Amino acid sequence: MFEFLKKWAQEERQDLPSIVRKLSFIGITWRAKNSPNTWRWQQKANWIEKYPKITVKNVSVPGRLWDYLGNLQFKVAKTNYPERWGSEEIMSPPREERNLKALKQAHQIYSVGLSQKREFAEKLSLTQEFKEGWLRSLTQELKGIA
């Protein structure tokens, strides 16, 4: 994905360093015992070393959730493996019933998260600590005001 974005930026004559500063990559990984020897996907990605300003995070999930997300859950789009990146077939979203069902579910999850974020911000604004500037800024950001 990064190589695709890099090539696209070059073709469009865009400032790659400014794009890189805005990028974040989140790797969803199978939860394993945490130790210094635990495999982390970004350790094998040599492009990360070339661009240290890229934000890279890992979210490890239990095996059952990994299986659900990767194998069982309906997808909102076609599988987008590297050979398809930038191809015509991937440019238009699928409209099959299972894809629409997945899109509806994704929207519902997003809406619940958004509502919970706003409720949390409201509760923060009622605390005594709300007089602190950093907390007011955080609350505004959570509410989507900032």
Side-chain angles (χ1 to χ4, degrees):
M1 177 62 99
F2 179 77
E3 290 301 321
F4 172 77
L5 291 171
K6 181 177 154 185
K7 183 179 176 191
W8 185 33
Q10 290 167 344
E11 288 173 0
E12 296 295 320
R13 294 183 173 84
Q14 297 297 314
D15 181 26
L16 185 60
S18 70
I19 293 171
V20 165
R21 283 191 296 275
K22 296 173 186 172
L23 288 176
S24 296
F25 288 87
I26 300 174
I28 300 175
T29 60
W30 184 294
R31 182 170 293 154
K33 183 179 177 190
N34 196 13
S35 78
N37 298 325
T38 299
W39 180 85
R40 290 170 178 82
W41 68 271
Q42 75 270 21
Q43 293 170 332
K44 303 292 182 194
N46 59 3
W47 52 271
I48 293 174
E49 294 172 13
K50 296 176 190 172
Y51 299 93
K53 299 235 183 222
I54 293 178
T55 301
V56 177
K57 301 285 183 188
N58 284 303
V59 176
S60 63
V61 297
R64 288 182 61 196
L65 179 57
W66 175 270
D67 185 47
Y68 173 72
L69 293 174
N71 302 320
L72 304 174
Q73 180 187 40
F74 288 132
K75 307 297 184 241
V76 298
K78 297 173 185 166
T79 302
N80 194 9
Y81 46 83
E83 292 77 19
R84 280 192 177 167
W85 294 352
S87 71
E88 288 297 320
E89 73 175 306
I90 209 71
M91 298 305 281
S92 60
R95 297 287 185 234
E96 296 168 15
E97 182 63 32
R98 66 177 187 251
N99 301 109
L100 294 175
K101 184 177 179 181
L103 191 57
K104 182 179 179 182
Q105 183 183 35
H107 182 265
Q108 289 171 335
I109 292 169
Y110 173 80
S111 296
V112 167
L114 191 60
S115 132
Q116 288 179 349
K117 186 170 82 167
R118 287 188 180 137
E119 286 175 29
F120 178 64
E122 288 297 325
K123 288 178 182 176
L124 280 177
S125 69
L126 299 174
T127 65
Q128 182 179 3
E129 291 80 6
F130 192 67
K131 62 185 175 193
E132 301 290 334
W134 66 268
L135 186 56
R136 285 194 308 276
S137 295
L138 173 63
T139 305
Q140 287 178 338
E141 187 178 326
L142 288 170
K143 288 181 178 179
I145 297 170

